[in-house]
Amino acid sequence: ARAISTALAEGWEVHDRAQDSWRPCRLGDITILVPARTSLPFLEDALEAARIPFRAESSSLVYASRAVRDLLMVLRAADDPTDHLRIVTALRTPLLGCGDDDLFEHKVGQRRGWSYNTPAPPDPADGIVAAGLAFLRELHERRHWESPAELLDHIARERRALELGFAEGRPRDVWRRLRFVIDQARAWSEATGGSLRAYLQWVDQQTAEGSRVAESVLPETDDDAVRIMTIHAAKGLEFPITIVSGMSARPGGQRSPVEVHFPKDGTAVGYRMGKDVVTEEFEAAVPIDEQMGYDERLRLLYVACTRACDHLVLSLHRVARAGDPKKKSSRTNAEVLLHGMGDRLGTLPDLGGDPHPLPAGAVASPTPPPPFEPWLAERRRTIDLAARPGAVAATALTDEGVPDAAVDSPLAAVAPTLFDALTEDEDPAMAGLDKRPRDLDLPPWLKGRYGTAVGRAVHGVLQTVDLATGFGLDAAVAAQCQAEAVPDVAEVRRLATAALGSASVQAAAAAPHWREVYACTPLGDRLLEGYVDLLYRTDGGLVVVDHKTAHTSDPAELDRRVQGYRLQGAAYALAVEQATGEQVLRVVFVFLTPDGAIERELQGLPAAVADVERLVRAGAEQVLA
């Protein structure tokens, strides 16, 4: 804390890479690295006393913060109604707000216990302790029906965990930590689907001392504060001012457990040293293990010290001992840093002493809210704008793409035949026309295929077979019928053969052509997109071919359907022209009927293209349905 206040008061200069210049440091330029979370509570106390804003950016440190500890303690108490120690600890958290006097009165004065899972549930009217126990009982009953993330969110909302952040002085940091923990719990539930008990065991693993969790927590973008990170989480990062703290802890002397076997014949595999039974192999491996542990500490200290770009501050606080310790493995991190420094330590500036608290920042008056009516109107405009889809599929311009047309629909003016069809019952012959933008998520062999199973099978065959010779037709028909569960293989083969014999498909086979072409072009603030069944190039330009299955060959019915597809075909032409810069000469619909393939060319293509462009730019609700 003294180092931070000194750096800010003296204006230590740091290099601004964006401006390629030197400037005085800010709080956001300073990062504190700790080897473990053991020292975090004491570090928080010192920084708060000096009024230094800070945030913990490693997930292992987030789980060690007060707000998160309190939140998880309430959840642990709700999970196990027999653990009275955790129940009392949860009651003493700010979330349940029970003081020691309340607990004493409940236990001694009223002679009541701590169990909330009794046949007679606690009555919240009996006092604050009974109210807290009733809340824990509610969580306990909900734990089988709600995920850990839902329970955490319920605790945070009902017990005002976010509002309690103001009591710590840095509410935004508290909010960020709580959001991180709840989001991680949600991700854990989606990945494992485990119970509350399993989640709490996972949390114990994340917060265990020595765990290598290095997940960074994203800070608020406009929050200027000192960062606190573990050394593991800082790998690969650099900071203008780096403070290496928590160096006074001595590594623990615990050894790995050793399993010793005593054969039945009485021969000794191990021998006793003091109170321990040690095998010869283990004793021989101890020096190697200690040396490897010491080397790992050196590597971590090297990582920590090399994170500094401009200024490095080292915490060398240690217990005074006569001479060097006998073993390198028993040295504290501070003693490791001092080892070999010799007389050079006296040349370094000392920042010890009490910190100078930063001046309290002026509290800005909140901006008064805007007048309600203009705000409400702006909100409605924003919602309406956000509700407008950003992309329009070409098939949305057909009658199936417009299920609920109003009488004053703009379609009535530009496509009267289509508009009339909207008011009639759905024609079964029109089934199988849907090629929505969902096709973007489908595999390549399904893109652009739509409608009934027979129609999908026919389109799948036409995507793969040779258009000129029909090579591979039987294999493609068999595969597509199996994929679409179509029993009538002969019908699919007949329709596909009719399509291959049509004049447009034969012309495409003799020219450069492309199948299932995705075409997209911006029109105003939207995109017009669609899949073209077949596109080929002639001497004068491009030709769009669209396959349609039909249950009848009646000329009047086919003409009516051509009018129904007028805007869809024009949308294909417009998207192809805008995307390629080439002119689309014709749009041809190939109807696969019981009597064979019948072609219909879209008449008045320029006028239809103009209608499509006007409708998409206008964003008519019927078109965008």
Side-chain angles (χ1 to χ4, degrees), residues 22-303:
W22 292 84
R23 58 168 175 79
C25 65
R26 300 191 299 262
L27 287 170
D29 299 323
I30 305 174
T31 300
I32 302 175
L33 299 182
V34 294
R37 62 185 179 88
T38 311
S39 61
L40 181 61
F42 309 101
L43 187 59
E44 289 179 335
D45 292 340
L47 295 178
E48 288 177 356
R51 294 199 291 264
I52 297 175
F54 64 91
R55 60 173 182 262
E57 291 197 3
S58 300
S59 59
S60 57
L61 298 182
V62 169
Y63 281 102
S65 60
R66 293 190 190 94
V68 175
R69 289 201 310 266
D70 293 342
L71 185 69
L72 292 175
M73 183 54 66
V74 174
L75 197 61
R76 295 180 194 277
D79 176 62
D80 187 358
T82 64
D83 193 336
H84 292 175
L85 176 60
R86 284 180 173 172
I87 292 175
V88 173
T89 306
L91 292 172
R92 296 184 72 250
T93 64
L95 296 174
L96 299 181
C98 298
D100 291 340
D101 53 344
D102 300 317
L103 299 174
F104 181 84
E105 176 63 24
H106 177 84
K107 181 66 176 178
V108 179
Q110 302 178 8
R111 297 183 179 277
R112 297 183 179 182
W114 305 117
S115 178
Y116 55 79
N117 196 25
T118 56
D123 186 359
D126 291 342
I128 187 173
V129 176
L133 293 174
F135 181 75
L136 294 176
R137 180 188 179 94
E138 176 191 354
L139 293 176
H140 182 74
E141 294 174 348
R142 299 171 66 159
R143 76 191 191 284
H144 291 307
W145 312 103
E146 297 183 2
S147 67
E150 292 173 323
L151 293 174
L152 289 172
D153 183 69
H154 179 73
I155 298 172
R157 286 186 291 103
E158 294 297 325
R159 309 313 300 180
R160 304 294 189 267
L162 299 178
E163 289 82 346
L164 285 172
F166 287 96
E168 294 196 16
R170 286 188 49 76
R172 298 178 63 183
D173 196 44
V174 174
W175 302 339
R176 179 177 54 82
R177 297 174 187 175
L178 294 177
R179 286 199 305 266
F180 172 80
V181 171
I182 296 174
D183 291 343
Q184 252 201 348
R186 185 175 296 109
W188 180 89
S189 297
E190 293 175 353
T192 66
S195 63
L196 176 59
R197 184 71 54 87
Y199 167 73
L200 292 175
Q201 292 174 352
W202 177 80
V203 170
D204 291 337
Q205 296 175 358
Q206 304 306 301
T207 57
E209 199 63 59
S211 64
R212 299 297 180 87
V213 179
E215 182 174 355
S216 296
V217 185
L218 295 178
E220 304 289 347
T221 56
D222 58 346
D223 188 20
D224 187 27
V226 174
R227 306 163 68 180
I228 305 176
M229 304 178 68
T230 60
I231 298 177
H232 288 289
K235 292 179 180 178
L237 303 178
E238 290 182 338
F239 316 104
I241 301 178
T242 301
I243 302 176
V244 183
S245 178
M247 299 288 102
S248 60
R250 187 178 303 175
Q254 295 182 353
R255 292 181 176 180
S256 303
V258 179
E259 183 177 358
V260 182
H261 297 278
F262 295 94
K264 295 181 179 180
D265 58 4
T267 59
V269 176
Y271 62 91
R272 185 174 299 276
M273 178 182 294
K275 296 181 180 180
D276 300 328
V277 177
V278 185
T279 65
E280 294 182 359
E281 292 83 358
F282 176 78
E283 190 67 19
V286 166
I288 301 177
D289 184 70
E290 292 179 349
Q291 182 63 42
M292 292 179 64
Y294 180 74
D295 292 342
E296 173 66 12
R297 291 172 57 202
L298 286 179
R299 187 184 68 83
L300 284 179
L301 290 175
Y302 172 80
V303 169

Side-chain angles (χ1 to χ4, degrees), residues 463-485:
Q463 288 181 30
T464 56
V465 300
D466 187 282
L467 298 183
T469 64
F471 178 77
L473 177 63
D474 292 335
V477 169
Q480 293 299 325
C481 288
Q482 183 177 5
E484 301 294 345

